[in-house]
Amino acid sequence: MARQPSQISKTPLIELRATKGALEQRWLSMSSQLAPQLGFNPQQLRIDAEAQAERVWVGLQGSACERVNRNRGGAARVVPLRALQKDLFAWLGLQEVWDIEVGPRPFVFRQLGLTVHFGYLGDPIKPQAFRLEWPGIRDWTGAGLSFQTTGAGHPHWQIDILESLAERKNEDFNVEHSETVEDFGAEPRVPDLNDLLRTISIEKMHLASAARWWLPPTSDVHGQHMNMPPDLAGLTRWLTHSVQYMQQELARCVFRV
């Protein structure tokens, strides 16, 4: 008997699409949940959507927000997420993006990201600490629908604090050298560990936040750490629960000195 070819299971990749009305209702729901969760009223904090060309950008707006510069992506508005010690706050930024195409549900989910910064009230310097991101299913490379970044977990965490510290050090280090003296007899200096750690690019790592690796392996080529946003309601639940989890874990942050 001829041997049958093996069947490779592949979960179909489906874009998350929505109508304008459904998205507007979702953003109202997000505002009504997020503002009281962070201790604000609708005038102090709300979700703001702005259409630019063929894309809709969604972020935070309101009197409780302050502007910061992201490590990537320019300026954004952030809101106090949790008070820490010594008058320091953790700040939350939100960026959601939808592409505008054609059809009965022309809005196509591109990504939702939450960014956490550390800083003082009223101080524009708020270094970026980490991110939680969930890109959607899109044609990222021109080769058809796929997950973004081959092999990465979705959703995933990315750690930015070392990159932020390195940028701050470069800004502060402004020493003029009038003359350089070269000692040919000196042995090469071993790089300082702290200096090396400031330059290592851990911000490029994607740390999976929903990886079911304890389950038996399957033949699904997407793996158990790649997840698609299921629907608008599921995406909103992920947002609110993620913010709640961040608040919980940031309470564990203490100063060692």
Side-chain angles (χ1 to χ4, degrees), residues 176-222:
E176 295 184 2
H177 297 279
S178 58
E179 183 179 354
T180 301
V181 178
E182 185 174 357
D183 185 355
F184 291 98
E187 294 184 1
R189 184 178 67 88
V190 176
D192 180 77
L193 177 59
N194 289 334
D195 290 339
L196 284 178
L197 290 179
R198 286 176 181 271
T199 62
I200 191 170
S201 59
I202 64 171
E203 71 276 358
K204 295 183 179 180
M205 298 173 60
H206 300 78
L207 309 178
S209 70
R212 297 165 292 176
W213 290 322
W214 60 87
L215 297 178
T218 68
S219 57
D220 194 324
V221 297
H222 301 315

Side-chain angles (χ1 to χ4, degrees), residues 10-139:
K10 183 175 181 180
T11 303
L13 299 180
I14 302 174
E15 295 173 307
L16 177 56
R17 291 179 169 267
T19 63
K20 180 179 180 181
L23 284 182
E24 290 176 343
Q25 287 297 317
R26 176 171 177 271
W27 295 329
L28 286 174
S29 175
M30 287 169 59
S31 294
S32 66
Q33 295 180 60
L34 194 60
Q37 184 176 352
L38 297 179
F40 299 108
N41 60 45
Q43 286 71 42
Q44 295 172 308
L45 179 63
R46 63 185 183 276
I47 300 296
D48 180 64
E50 180 180 358
Q52 298 180 1
E54 299 178 348
R55 193 162 288 170
V56 177
W57 300 84
V58 183
L60 301 177
Q61 186 67 269
S63 61
C65 296
E66 296 187 16
R67 290 180 66 86
V68 300
N69 288 320
R70 293 165 49 94
N71 290 6
R72 298 172 183 79
R77 289 183 175 85
V78 296
V79 67
L81 173 61
R82 187 176 185 93
L84 305 176
Q85 296 176 321
K86 301 181 184 293
D87 298 326
L88 192 69
F89 279 81
W91 297 75
L92 177 70
L94 182 151
Q95 185 183 81
E96 183 174 289
V97 185
W98 293 77
D99 291 334
I100 306 175
E101 298 185 351
V102 296
R105 293 183 297 166
F107 294 85
V108 188
F109 177 70
R110 186 175 182 86
Q111 65 183 30
L112 172 57
L114 301 171
T115 308
V116 174
H117 302 249
F118 291 142
Y120 296 105
L121 289 168
D123 188 346
I125 304 301
K126 295 180 174 63
Q128 188 171 312
F130 58 88
R131 289 167 282 155
L132 177 58
E133 298 181 333
W134 201 350
I137 300 299
R138 301 292 289 136
D139 186 357

Side-chain angles (χ1 to χ4, degrees), residues 169-178:
K169 183 178 181 180
N170 291 335
E171 292 173 2
D172 296 338
F173 188 72
N174 186 22
V175 179
E176 295 184 2
H177 297 279
S178 58

